[in-house]
């Protein structure tokens, strides 16, 4: 050590101090780990003790915590007697009983079939003093019938100048066709309101031994819709004249007539007039903004839509005030 210079001694001392400092840090970390493990051990022991009591202890002891402090609930006999008298005090009050609304009243427009029921036995020595009426809602399944128009022919008695006259048939939606307007209305309502496909409606015909080809029923539906075009055009005109419209589009799968058993994506454009409560559905094969052009081209007023970019062009028109959805 005598040959070691002061500079070298200072360097050795610095290294020793760094080594000691590093060891102190490592020792501190180890002590922290030991303390953490001790805490975990205590917690695990507590859980084991709790599980042991729940499994093997008496019912009263299973949910008791030995470390939980008890509440000072010890009271004297006099106080207990007073509390018992308070508990036994009788409280009476009156409450108005709600009147039961009873069964819903049946509509007055329904036809009524009256079924009279008399008591059994000999009633000759008794007089009727009244009656009780009970209404039951019944349903008669739809049925087919034939409307047979019988037109009588008349001829003049003058044989030299005979004239024949006959009554005119009522006007029909399908000229010379067999379906009545009631049957055509049922086909359209079942298909477009109740979503009953035409092939299932054909099955209903078959159950009644009425043999009608699918193509015939499809033709009836198409011709019926053609007859409804004036009503549709009136609806379009009324929608256009509304001052406040809500518009949205939604997808629908459409059978592809070019590819058997395949579908393509079409769009229903829905126009709703909240004030008059008019609703119109307009089909388009595309979602482009041009699909709404027939309705919104000359529209004036408030137009409420979502954030779809296809509506922006209409919202920029000076006669239209755009409204957002939420």
């Amino acid at each position: 050590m005598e040959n070691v210079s002061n500079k070298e001694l200072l360097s050795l001392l610095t290294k020793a101090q760094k080594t000691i400092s590093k060891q102190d840090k490592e020792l501190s970390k180890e002590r922290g780990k030991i303390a953490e493990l001790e805490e975990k051990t205590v917690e695990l022991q507590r859980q084991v003790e709790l599980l042991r009591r729940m499994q093997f202890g008496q019912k009263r002891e299973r949910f008791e915590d030995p470390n939980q402090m008890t509440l000072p609930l010890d009271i004297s006999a006099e106080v207990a007697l007073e509390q018992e008298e308070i508990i036994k005090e009788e409280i009476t009050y009156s409450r108005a009983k709600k009147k039961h609304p009873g069964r819903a009243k049946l509509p007055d427009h329904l036809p009524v079939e009256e079924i009279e029921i008399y008591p059994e036995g000999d009633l000759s020595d008794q007089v009727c003093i009244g009656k009780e009426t009970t209404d039951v809602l019944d349903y008669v399944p739809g049925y087919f019938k034939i409307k047979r128009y019988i037109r009588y022919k008349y001829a003049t008695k003058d044989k030299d100048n005979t004239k024949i006259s006959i009554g005119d048939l009522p006007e029909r939606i399908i000229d010379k066709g067999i379906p009545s307007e009631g049957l055509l209305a049922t086909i359209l309502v079942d298909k477009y309101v109740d979503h009953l496909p035409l092939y299932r409606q054909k099955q209903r015909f078959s159950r009644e031994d009425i043999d009608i080809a699918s193509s015939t029923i499809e033709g009836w539906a198409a011709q019926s819709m053609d007859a409804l075009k004036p009503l549709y055009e009136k609806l379009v005109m009324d929608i256009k004249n509304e001052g406040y419209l809500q518009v949205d589009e939604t997808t629908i799968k459409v059978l592809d007539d070019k590819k058997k058993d395949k579908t393509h994506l079409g769009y229903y454009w829905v126009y709703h007039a909240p004030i008059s409560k008019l609703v119109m559905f307009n089909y388009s094969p595309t979602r482009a903004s041009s699909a709404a052009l027939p309705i919104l081209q000359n529209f004036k007023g408030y137009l409420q839509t979502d954030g779809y970019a296809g509506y922006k062009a209409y919202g920029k028109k000076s006669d239209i005030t755009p409204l957002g959805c939420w």
Side-chain angles (χ1 to χ4, degrees):
M1 295 293 292
E2 294 178 357
N3 298 326
V4 178
S5 64
N6 292 335
K7 186 176 181 180
E8 290 175 341
L9 286 174
L10 183 61
S11 176
L12 291 173
L13 182 61
T14 302
K15 289 181 180 180
Q17 289 177 343
K18 289 182 179 180
T19 301
I20 294 172
S21 177
K22 183 178 180 181
Q23 291 176 348
D24 288 342
K25 290 181 179 179
E26 292 178 353
L27 182 60
S28 178
K29 289 181 180 180
E30 294 299 327
R31 288 175 178 172
K33 291 180 180 180
I34 292 173
E36 185 178 352
L37 290 174
E38 289 178 348
E39 291 179 0
K40 290 183 178 180
T41 301
V42 172
E43 175 63 20
L44 290 174
Q45 289 176 346
R46 189 190 69 81
Q47 293 181 10
V48 170
E49 178 63 21
L50 179 61
L51 291 173
R52 186 188 65 79
R53 288 204 312 273
M54 293 178 65
Q55 182 70 25
F56 304 106
Q58 296 182 4
K59 187 174 182 180
R60 183 181 63 84
E61 298 175 348
R62 291 181 183 179
F63 302 100
E64 289 182 353
D65 189 345
N67 298 321
Q68 184 177 0
M69 298 178 63
T70 58
L71 296 175
L73 298 179
D74 295 335
I75 57 177
S76 62
E78 293 80 3
V79 175
L81 182 60
E82 291 179 2
Q83 292 181 351
E84 185 177 357
E85 291 178 354
I86 294 175
I87 293 174
K88 291 182 178 180
E89 181 181 356
E90 182 179 359
I91 300 175
T92 60
Y93 65 95
S94 60
R95 180 177 62 183
K97 185 177 180 180
K98 293 183 179 180
K99 185 178 180 181
H100 192 277
R103 295 188 301 177
K105 186 178 182 299
L106 297 177
D108 295 330
H109 68 273
L110 296 179
V112 177
E113 176 189 0
E114 293 187 349
I115 303 173
E116 296 181 338
I117 303 175
Y118 292 92
E120 296 181 357
D122 185 9
L123 304 177
S124 59
D125 60 342
Q126 300 183 34
V127 294
C128 181
I129 59 173
K131 60 183 179 181
E132 293 186 4
T133 302
T134 303
D135 290 341
V136 177
L137 184 63
D138 191 16
Y139 173 73
V140 179
Y143 63 94
F144 295 97
K145 68 177 181 180
I146 298 174
K147 294 174 70 174
R148 180 171 294 155
Y149 295 99
I150 302 174
R151 297 185 293 160
Y152 293 94
K153 295 181 179 181
Y154 284 80
T156 58
K157 296 180 180 180
D158 187 357
K159 296 182 179 180
D160 296 331
N161 190 18
T162 303
K163 293 182 179 180
I164 299 176
S165 59
I166 187 173
D168 295 330
L169 278 171
E171 187 175 351
R172 286 176 287 178
I173 295 177
I174 300 178
D175 190 30
K176 298 181 181 180
I178 64 172
S180 70
E181 62 279 1
L183 177 58
L184 295 175
T186 299
I187 290 174
L188 294 185
V189 170
D190 285 352
K191 176 174 173 56
Y192 295 105
V193 178
D194 297 330
H195 303 284
L196 186 65
L198 292 179
Y199 80 90
R200 290 187 181 175
Q201 297 192 46
K202 182 183 183 303
Q203 294 173 354
R204 184 168 56 192
F205 282 96
S206 300
R207 287 195 296 268
E208 300 294 333
D209 295 328
I210 302 174
D211 187 16
I212 298 178
S214 298
S215 58
T216 301
I217 300 178
E218 293 168 2
W220 290 353
Q223 293 179 75
S224 300
M225 288 185 286
D226 287 339
L228 292 174
K229 280 185 177 179
L231 292 179
Y232 175 77
E233 293 171 355
K234 178 64 168 61
L235 177 61
V236 171
M237 183 174 62
D238 291 343
I239 285 288
K240 288 181 177 180
N241 292 331
E242 290 289 331
Y244 172 27
L245 282 183
Q246 296 172 331
V247 185
D248 196 8
E249 77 291 336
T250 185
T251 58
I252 180 175
K253 290 184 178 180
V254 183
L255 288 174
D256 196 330
D257 55 356
K258 297 179 181 179
K259 298 179 182 179
K260 187 178 180 181
D261 298 331
K262 298 294 183 180
T263 62
H264 64 266
L265 202 61
Y267 292 87
Y268 266 140
W269 289 73
V270 186
Y271 303 86
H272 175 228
I275 298 176
S276 61
K277 301 188 183 303
L278 289 177
V279 180
M280 189 189 74
F281 290 80
N282 193 30
Y283 171 76
S284 174
T286 176
R287 196 191 181 197
S289 61
S290 58
L293 193 62
I295 308 300
L296 300 181
Q297 183 177 14
N298 298 320
F299 173 74
K300 298 179 181 179
Y302 295 92
L303 181 64
Q304 188 172 20
T305 65
D306 57 18
Y308 172 48
Y311 299 114
K312 290 184 178 179
Y314 300 103
K316 293 179 180 179
K317 296 176 65 175
S318 59
D319 295 332
I320 292 180
T321 302
L323 302 176
C325 297
W326 64 89

